Amino acid sequence: MKCDQQFVPGKIILCGEYAVVFGYPGIAMPSSWGITVTIQEEGARAIESTGHRFDQPWLDYTSEILNQIERKSGRSVKGKIIIDNQLPLGRGLGSSTALIIALCRAVLGLNCRETALEIESHFNPYHSGLDFAVIWEGKPVYYQKGKKMVSIELPDDLLKDTFLVDTGKPFELTKDLVTRVKEREKQLKKPLEIIGGCADRLLEGEDLLTLFKEHHRAQKKLGVVPPYVDEFIKEIEQAGGAAKVVGAGGRDGGGGMLLAVNSPEEVFIGCDYWLI
Ligand code: MEV
């Protein structure tokens, strides 16, 4: 009986959302939460999930990824596939990409980068490659589309007292939000430039408080911060902190996770939140 186990982290984008799609740089780091896949190659294919359990759409997505792996590798995927998931799903922490990589590695072994990337592109055709790069590497990265990815060291105290705060599940899919921004690229040039300028400013040592305030205002101009999330960020700023949406954000539902710096914890009472 073969039994593979693969832990794959999620990702936290510090800066660069959407701008990376248009060739600007972005910075992201792996999350300590992730997905572990174990395959027990016995019997017919059966998917089991533990941790943050998969609902039917996530089970269907898992099946579709496995079908893609079969199609691309010519291997059939059988047996019990156990997915231990610690990542909040659909909240901008890279759960969909982490699942692709974890399943590919469990079925095909570690040398499956190309296949995993093809599957990522199948499900998310306009992705920049940032999520894939940081989750694949499992290290902080400075990423610019079309250039060699650079693995970076972040200062130990950079994210001291930084919280992840769940603002709820976005109604929209990332690929649809990216398509909408792509359609308005010309009108959105200015905010994309501001977001795209943050990676170098961060590496030059600018403080996150200033950076996140500008980054957030530019994300808002892209139309990917729901109004009540913007109100919440105003409260965080009034309390002396700053916050930005992590990942694709949303329009009408939740905004996924917020990354909040320098904020007193009291502001988050009533929400799900975690120290990074
Ligand atoms: C999504 O996690 C990040 C986006 O910049 C899209 C992408 O980079 O592919 C919104």
Side-chain angles (χ1 to χ4, degrees):
M1 181 174 79
K2 197 172 134 202
C3 180
D4 292 318
Q5 256 208 356
Q6 292 296 337
F7 171 82
V8 173
K11 58 96 208 262
I12 299 171
I13 298 180
L14 299 185
C15 61
E17 282 92 345
Y18 292 96
V20 277
V21 173
F22 303 97
Y24 293 96
I27 293 179
M29 57 184 266
S31 63
S32 51
W33 296 320
I35 297 180
T36 304
V37 171
T38 309
I39 301 185
Q40 297 172 348
E41 273 186 21
E42 260 174 14
R45 192 201 280 182
I47 301 164
E48 252 184 51
S49 80
T50 57
H52 287 291
R53 280 174 190 278
F54 283 12
D55 59 10
Q56 196 55 47
W58 274 86
L59 291 171
D60 294 345
Y61 175 56
T62 306
S63 291
E64 284 176 42
I65 296 170
L66 292 170
N67 293 343
Q68 285 291 322
I69 294 174
E70 285 188 330
R71 218 163 285 149
K72 289 185 190 297
S73 68
R75 286 191 209 177
S76 70
V77 185
K78 288 194 272 184
K80 199 192 264 186
I81 292 142
I82 304 160
I83 299 165
D84 181 26
N85 170 42
Q86 304 306 330
L87 275 172
L89 294 167
R91 299 293 201 278
L93 295 185
S95 45
S96 54
T97 303
L99 183 60
I100 292 174
I101 294 178
L103 288 168
C104 281
R105 285 184 180 162
V107 176
L108 304 173
L110 295 182
N111 197 9
C112 63
R113 190 179 188 283
E114 209 173 305
T115 307
L117 187 54
E118 280 175 17
I119 297 175
E120 169 81 342
S121 303
H122 169 83
F123 287 107
N124 189 4
Y126 298 126
H127 74 98
S128 65
L130 171 62
D131 292 15
F132 188 90
V134 64
I135 293 171
W136 180 270
E137 293 300 322
K139 291 185 207 147
V141 297
Y142 175 98
Y143 178 87
Q144 198 163 7
K145 202 170 154 181
K147 297 205 175 154
K148 198 167 177 302
M149 185 229 46
V150 185
S151 162
I152 53 170
E153 293 261 334
L154 294 170
D156 285 345
D157 59 352
L158 183 73
L159 296 174
K160 194 171 156 280
D161 300 330
T162 299
F163 290 93
L164 277 172
V165 189
D166 191 357
T167 69
K169 191 172 156 78
F171 287 167
E172 304 81 7
L173 296 174
T174 297
K175 70 175 170 113
D176 297 332
L177 291 163
V178 172
T179 303
R180 224 185 103 81
V181 171
K182 265 180 97 69
E183 284 163 1
R184 295 182 302 141
E185 181 184 353
K186 277 209 187 89
Q187 297 101 288
L188 298 175
K189 191 166 185 292
K190 190 79 205 147
L192 288 169
E193 267 173 16
I194 292 171
I195 295 173
C198 286
D200 289 324
R201 289 169 61 187
L202 193 151
L203 288 189
E204 281 155 16
E206 191 163 335
D207 71 297
L208 287 186
L209 203 59
T210 314
L211 213 64
F212 276 14
K213 284 184 185 168
E214 283 183 42
H215 199 290
H216 161 62
R217 281 163 183 67
Q219 276 172 297
K220 203 173 125 184
K221 291 209 172 100
L222 298 185
V224 295
V225 181
Y228 87 89
V229 175
D230 181 42
E231 286 304 315
F232 188 29
I233 292 179
K234 275 192 196 127
E235 277 177 45
I236 294 170
E237 290 188 3
Q238 274 156 15
K244 66 171 274 287
V245 163
V246 176
R251 287 166 57 74
D252 302 316
M257 287 290 171
L258 285 187
L259 193 55
V261 288
N262 206 47
S263 177
E265 207 172 324
E266 296 81 71
V267 186
F268 310 129
I269 304 288
C271 309
D272 285 332
Y273 66 96
W274 304 263
L275 252 183
I276 283 196

